[in-house]
Amino acid sequence: MVIIENKGLIMAASSKVKRIGILTGGGDCPGLNAVIRGVTKPAQDYGMSVLGIIDGFEGLVEGRAKELKNDDVSGILARGGTILGSSNKGDPFHWPIQKDGKIEIANKSEAALRNYQAWNLDALIAIGGDGTMHICKKLGEMGMNMIGVPKTIDNDLEATDLTFGHDSAVYVVAEALDRLHTTASSHHRVIVVEVMGRYAGWIALNGGLAGGADIILIPEIPFSWDRVYDKILKRELMGKKFSLVCVSEGAKPMDGEMVIKGQDIKRHDPVQLGGIGELVAKKIEENTNRETRVTVLGHLQRGGSPTPFDRILSTKFGAFAIQLAANKKFGRMVALKGSDVKNVRIEEAISHQKLVQPDTQAVFAAKAVGISFGE
Ligand code: F6P
């Protein structure tokens, strides 16, 4: 057997992959458990054992993990959240430490590597968004055999046509808009719905389309306040005395900035967005004199059971990820391309953020049915 040195890790070149770790990193979303199940159930067919790492990369650094067997993943397909726990503050390369009443940032990647070795892992499957994929790339450079599975309700990961979780979030937005439609129309009100998505407008765009919003505001298309007021008043002239505005948390007016709720330096991206819904509602009421209310959907979009679409996509991603592990295709991320699951280099996934292009078909269709983007 040939022994090769791989940046700190001693690997047997001809050995089979026998033991894999799995973790869920970053914010949770519907479908994580379906991936864990999709990885763990076929593992024994490949002759592999699966170690579930607790609370994402935090558990990798702190050495917290548990064996996963078929029984542990039985009945979790439709369950929201993650049975392993997750964290968006456990980046090994950006590890917050409380010192003299202040927070200092340390590098704990060596601890992560030590645990990976101590657990005898041949590969680690990390399910997460762009923050997780950045960490995967760096851990891969240290010699860990990383495989990425893309998740995020935001759908902002380049190199995959879709991330699981997005469809479930869109479902929540559409259902909320359906419900708000009836109350907005009964009371002749404007209702503003703020949705998540960070710097990408996919949730607002797809949710707004599915729920029949009258105005959709997204980060990629800065809006004019006057155009927003005009649309509401024009609808009234047509006998529609109510309007639904679906606004992405990252949307911004042409003459302004994104609304930031707070900063958290412990996270990969410290910026916490939120508050644009309140601002939009206030400005509409002040400038159109129409009664306006706001609903912030917040974490409702991340909780609960995945849609059938997300269950299927997550299961395919999980089953494909363990196949990649068995074939020693490390440094790769599973990705949906059209209707097929393929794999791409992890670097490709993080080279750009996937944003809504203003000339995309969904924007075209929305405009065709009379939805305004406040341009
Ligand atoms: O990335 C997923 C996401 O839900 C974003 O849409 C949102 O901005 C952010 O996470 C919220 O994070 P937290 O749960 O830490 O408040």
Side-chain angles (χ1 to χ4, degrees), residues 267-295:
R267 299 157 60 124
H268 173 73
D269 176 2
V271 174
Q272 290 175 296
L273 295 169
I276 183 73
E278 276 291 346
L279 179 67
V280 169
K282 184 167 165 280
K283 295 272 283 182
I284 289 175
E285 190 156 278
E286 279 171 8
N287 290 278
T288 64
N289 209 18
R290 301 296 179 272
E291 200 174 25
T292 306
R293 295 287 187 270
V294 61
T295 298

Side-chain angles (χ1 to χ4, degrees), residues 30 153-155 162 165-177 195 201-211 297 301-302 307 310:
I153 62 166
D154 304 339
N155 194 35
L162 268 177
H166 180 65
D167 187 63
S168 303
V170 166
Y171 183 87
V172 171
V173 175
E175 203 203 352
L177 285 169
V195 304
W202 295 109
I203 298 178
L205 174 61
N206 292 329
L209 255 180
L297 290 181
Q301 296 157 96
R302 294 225 311 246
T307 57
D310 276 338

Side-chain angles (χ1 to χ4, degrees), residues 97-168:
I97 293 177
Q98 197 86 22
K99 208 172 172 192
D100 304 329
K102 283 198 201 137
I103 291 173
E104 283 184 10
I105 302 299
N107 185 342
K108 290 277 186 179
S109 56
E110 285 298 328
L113 179 62
R114 274 197 302 278
N115 286 323
Y116 176 94
Q117 289 170 323
W119 287 326
N120 283 320
L121 296 181
D122 297 310
L124 176 56
I125 296 178
I127 314 166
D130 59 343
T132 298
M133 295 308 145
H134 273 99
I135 297 169
C136 279
K137 179 177 171 281
K138 291 197 251 174
L139 292 177
E141 285 160 3
M142 291 175 71
M144 293 191 209
N145 294 326
M146 303 300 298
I147 291 169
V149 178
K151 71 88 227 198
T152 166
I153 62 166
D154 304 339
N155 194 35
D156 59 352
L157 265 185
E158 187 69 52
T160 181
D161 289 351
L162 268 177
T163 49
F164 71 84
H166 180 65
D167 187 63
S168 303

Side-chain angles (χ1 to χ4, degrees), residues 40-119:
T40 307
K41 284 207 163 191
Q44 64 190 26
D45 298 334
Y46 290 103
M48 291 181 200
S49 63
V50 181
L51 185 74
I53 296 164
I54 309 297
D55 295 339
F57 291 107
E58 254 181 49
L60 183 64
V61 169
E62 292 171 348
R64 293 185 284 121
K66 62 178 179 195
E67 297 296 327
L68 286 183
K69 300 264 167 28
N70 267 0
D71 275 358
D72 300 303
V73 298
S74 175
I76 65 168
L77 172 64
R79 201 191 299 172
T82 159
I83 58 163
L84 293 175
S86 193
S87 167
N88 43 23
K89 294 180 186 154
D91 181 346
F93 301 91
H94 187 93
W95 187 267
I97 293 177
Q98 197 86 22
K99 208 172 172 192
D100 304 329
K102 283 198 201 137
I103 291 173
E104 283 184 10
I105 302 299
N107 185 342
K108 290 277 186 179
S109 56
E110 285 298 328
L113 179 62
R114 274 197 302 278
N115 286 323
Y116 176 94
Q117 289 170 323
W119 287 326

